[in-house]
Amino acid sequence: QVQLQESGPGLVKPSQTLSLTCTVSGGSISSGSHYWSWIRQPAGKGLEWIGRIYGTGSTNHNPSLKSRVTISVDTSKNQLSLNMSSVTAADTAVYYCARLPYSGYAFDYWGQGTLVTVSS
Amino acid sequence: SYVLAQPPSVSVAPGKTASITCGGDNLGSISVHWYQQKPGQAPVLVIYYDDDRPSGISRRFSGSNSGSTATLTISRVEAGDEADYYCQVWDTSSDQAVFGGGTKLTVL
């Protein structure tokens, strides 16, 4: 059973960089069978896709966030990471990592999510 | 980018059938996926590729997609079905996932 677990600071100051890690267990992040995504959800609002990465490191992102977002993988640790620069209060949200089959377009496994608050 | 429209809320009595719609331009030509999200929990995939159910999802959940509307149908609704439901597609023109705004299902 694949499990995903997000981790990182719960509080980030405005203008700084948000950094999160997602640890994958029960499967290899570099298996070639899946993409790995970040998705966020502000309190009381809907889901917003941030971006995805393949085990080789190839990525694509939500155009609305692209210039601020970096997604990477560490295959030795079976982890993916999210860095989001120049954060504002609008970036306050629960951040999820999720698995996406390589040949599919539905997110079949999700982490429990981690709340990040942007505040001074 | 592609836009998906969902009604903000749907109410249904226990034991009845709930239908949650998702609208988009020529939606029937692309695959739609549905997620259930209960308060404080991560979303759970309940329907993928319009009408397939992942292992472990009740047969009471079904989906359809035609024209400009996809529908998630929940038969014999139970109190435990009360949740937010999101539709999602992959916009191949911009190569990104797109979610609908979500529908809150209330069981009366």
Side-chain angles (χ1 to χ4, degrees), chain B residues 16 22 34 51 56 71 73 76 82-83 86 89 97 99 103 106:
Chain B
K16 300 299 186 182
C22 176
W34 291 92
D51 56 8
T71 303
T73 301
R76 302 183 302 281
E82 192 163 278
Y86 293 90
V89 301
F99 290 93
T103 297
T106 298

Side-chain angles (χ1 to χ4, degrees), chain A:
Chain A
Q1 177 85 356
V2 173
Q3 292 186 322
L4 296 83
Q5 178 69 59
E6 304 89 349
S7 60
L11 181 65
V12 180
K13 288 181 167 48
S15 81
Q16 293 191 343
T17 296
L18 176 161
S19 296
L20 297 175
T21 297
C22 173
T23 300
V24 178
S25 58
S28 172
I29 203 168
S30 58
S31 68
S33 300
H34 300 93
Y35 284 95
W36 306 89
S37 271
W38 287 99
I39 296 161
R40 70 179 182 178
Q41 183 175 36
K45 297 187 178 180
L47 300 163
E48 180 182 31
W49 180 75
I50 298 171
R52 68 174 178 175
I53 189 166
Y54 191 53
T56 59
S58 65
T59 61
N60 66 301
H61 306 84
N62 186 325
S64 68
L65 300 170
K66 184 176 181 178
S67 63
R68 299 196 292 127
V69 168
T70 302
I71 298 176
S72 60
V73 290
D74 185 335
T75 55
S76 67
K77 296 181 179 179
N78 223 35
Q79 293 176 335
L80 66 154
S81 296
L82 170 69
N83 284 331
M84 182 179 293
S85 63
S86 305
V87 296
T88 70
D91 295 310
T92 295
V94 174
Y95 286 75
Y96 297 99
C97 55
R99 193 181 80 166
L100 187 68
Y102 180 74
S103 58
Y105 296 119
F107 300 98
D108 58 358
Y109 285 93
W110 297 63
Q112 66 184 29
T114 187
L115 174 62
V116 178
T117 301
V118 178
S119 175
S120 55

Side-chain angles (χ1 to χ4, degrees), chain A residues 41 45 47 96, chain B residues 35-44 82-86:
Chain A
Q41 183 175 36
K45 297 187 178 180
L47 300 163
Y96 297 99
Chain B
Y35 302 86
Q36 176 193 67
Q37 186 180 34
K38 295 182 178 179
Q41 298 183 18
V44 173
E82 192 163 278
D84 293 326
Y85 291 85
Y86 293 90

Side-chain angles (χ1 to χ4, degrees), chain B residues 44-86:
Chain B
V44 173
L45 180 67
V46 293
I47 292 290
Y48 64 104
Y49 289 110
D50 297 336
D51 56 8
D52 283 331
R53 269 188 319 276
S55 173
I57 299 300
S58 170
R59 290 183 178 183
R60 298 185 299 104
F61 288 82
S62 63
S64 63
N65 185 17
S66 179
S68 62
T69 303
T71 303
L72 172 69
T73 301
I74 310 171
S75 59
R76 302 183 302 281
V77 166
E78 303 171 354
D81 298 329
E82 192 163 278
D84 293 326
Y85 291 85
Y86 293 90

Side-chain angles (χ1 to χ4, degrees), chain B residues 78-101:
Chain B
E78 303 171 354
D81 298 329
E82 192 163 278
D84 293 326
Y85 291 85
Y86 293 90
C87 59
Q88 176 249 319
V89 301
W90 196 273
D91 180 4
T92 54
S93 64
S94 59
D95 202 14
Q96 64 172 315
V98 176
F99 290 93

